[in-house]
Amino acid sequence: MNRTARAFWLDSPGRGVIREVDLPAPGADEVLVRSLYSGVSRGTETLVFRGGVPESQHAAMRAPFQEGDFPAPVKYGYLNVGVVEEGLEALVGRTVFCLYPHQTRYVVPAGAVTPVPDGVPAGRAVLAGTVETAVNALWDAAPLVGDRIAVVGGGMVGCSVAALLARFPGVRVQLVDADPARARTAAALGVGFALPGEALGECDLVVHASATEQGLGRALELLRPEGTVVELSWYGDRKVSLPLGEAFHSRRLVIRSSQVGTVSPARANRTYADRLALALDLLAAPALDALVTGESAFEELPDVMPRLASGETPALCHRVRYDTP
């Protein structure tokens, strides 16, 4: 068995390289995984790529199998699907999801991988980490049957939330984004779409995921009195102003944060493994393929990441393909 692999590293802010790494033989409770696909979550990973993680958040932002430190050099990523080639017999030959960076092969504890259900294609399973974030957000938000809901921000997380809300009975769900092209994504997910100025108001709940000051302000405007904004955006090192004057207090509005690093207190009896397994089960829905908006080979990552970070290549989830066994 070949004991080397190739990994994508951020060598310095804005510059990625591929490095060769040596792999250990898997121990008794470990597995060796050959990557099939990984995913670039454009929001978080491009923030890391441009060196935008504030020093105060270096510890909180560490990925489970990150190597190096922010701002660089660092090996970062958390959406990987592969096949187990060696290790725990019960897992050999299984397709698994792991919160691992972009690397051709890797060795991890067997407990760090989650088998992909038979009905979920490997290429779609790279979305598991983001759908898991959406699951946690909806545990926090606790939407009810018949709610009027807006999701402001049609990025990867916002679209994942909208896709899950589309399955709730009787709800009015509208994806709100400044990019008219997101209307096609909304249609594929089975939800309504509106530009910010045309969005329907009197919402019981607004999930905000645009990572912009303007989006958060618009989210507050769309609420009914005593409505709630669940804030999913990660702003990195940027400061954000909130419109807390005018009618904010008299309308008794609520802003609540949600973050995937902790299982929602509303489901404190669930483990991280439970939450990830649920996300993978939910990925049986073909509509979620709409969130994968581009694909390239692993070897192209040093050229692709700068284009994703700058917006030259627009994307929700950009999928990385591993062509070489």
Side-chain angles (χ1 to χ4, degrees):
M1 172 63 67
N2 185 358
R3 295 295 177 197
T4 62
R6 287 168 296 140
F8 177 75
W9 279 74
L10 176 62
D11 196 46
S12 60
R15 179 178 181 271
V17 296
I18 292 177
R19 298 181 180 178
E20 189 167 287
V21 297
D22 293 323
L23 298 178
D29 59 349
E30 293 181 320
V31 290
L32 185 148
V33 180
R34 174 172 55 85
S35 296
L36 299 173
Y37 298 98
S38 58
V40 178
S41 178
R42 185 172 177 270
T44 304
E45 285 199 58
T46 59
L47 180 76
V48 171
F49 187 76
R50 64 179 175 82
V53 179
E55 188 173 352
S56 64
Q57 296 300 304
H58 282 190
M61 279 284 291
R62 285 194 70 86
F65 294 100
Q66 174 179 324
E67 292 183 37
D69 297 298
F70 301 120
V74 64
K75 184 175 76 175
Y76 191 84
Y78 48 84
L79 302 174
N80 189 291
V81 175
V83 60
V84 176
E85 292 191 322
E86 286 187 59
L88 197 66
E89 186 176 348
L91 289 172
V92 171
R94 294 292 304 271
T95 300
V96 295
F97 176 85
C98 185
L99 297 167
Y100 204 86
H102 309 285
Q103 185 166 310
T104 56
R105 280 189 174 90
Y106 53 90
V107 175
V108 292
V113 303
T114 302
V116 174
D118 291 340
V120 178
R124 190 187 304 153
V126 296
L127 298 168
T130 308
V131 173
E132 182 184 10
T133 300
V135 167
N136 206 59
L138 293 181
W139 282 350
D140 281 334
L144 299 175
V145 173
D147 271 358
R148 293 164 293 186
I149 304 173
V151 179
V152 177
M156 193 173 169
V157 171
C159 285
S160 296
V161 171
L164 299 190
L165 284 170
R167 309 183 191 190
F168 278 63
V171 299
R172 183 192 80 191
V173 185
Q174 193 169 56
L175 182 67
V176 180
D177 197 273
D179 182 358
R182 288 287 182 264
R184 293 192 296 273
T185 307
L189 299 176
V191 300
F193 175 80
L195 296 171
E198 301 168 358
L200 298 173
E202 290 297 303
C203 292
D204 303 289
L205 169 68
V206 177
V207 178
H208 179 241
S210 81
T212 67
E213 187 175 295
Q214 297 84 352
L216 182 53
R218 186 60 178 141
L220 289 167
E221 292 173 350
L222 295 176
L223 288 175
R224 63 162 174 80
E226 300 191 356
T228 297
V229 168
V230 172
E231 175 61 280
L232 292 182
S233 296
W234 168 248
Y235 297 94
D237 54 0
R238 290 177 291 135
K239 295 186 182 298
V240 176
S241 297
L242 287 175
L244 301 184
E246 299 180 349
F248 177 81
H249 287 83
S250 64
R251 296 177 68 217
R252 299 178 60 85
L253 302 182
V254 175
I255 302 174
R256 181 177 183 182
S257 65
S258 178
Q259 210 279 333
V260 71
T262 302
V263 173
S264 170
R267 294 295 181 272
N269 63 324
R270 308 291 179 86
T271 66
Y272 291 99
D274 292 334
R275 190 177 64 183
L276 180 55
L278 172 60
L280 281 162
D281 285 340
L282 292 169
L283 280 164
L288 287 161
D289 283 333
L291 303 188
V292 178
T293 53
E295 183 174 293
S296 60
F298 168 74
E299 291 76 10
E300 298 175 292
L301 262 181
D303 295 323
V304 169
M305 282 296 290
R307 297 200 298 270
L308 290 171
S310 68
E312 178 185 344
T313 300
L316 291 173
C317 176
H318 186 87
R319 189 164 59 200
V320 179
R321 182 181 70 251
Y322 294 78
D323 296 324
T324 303

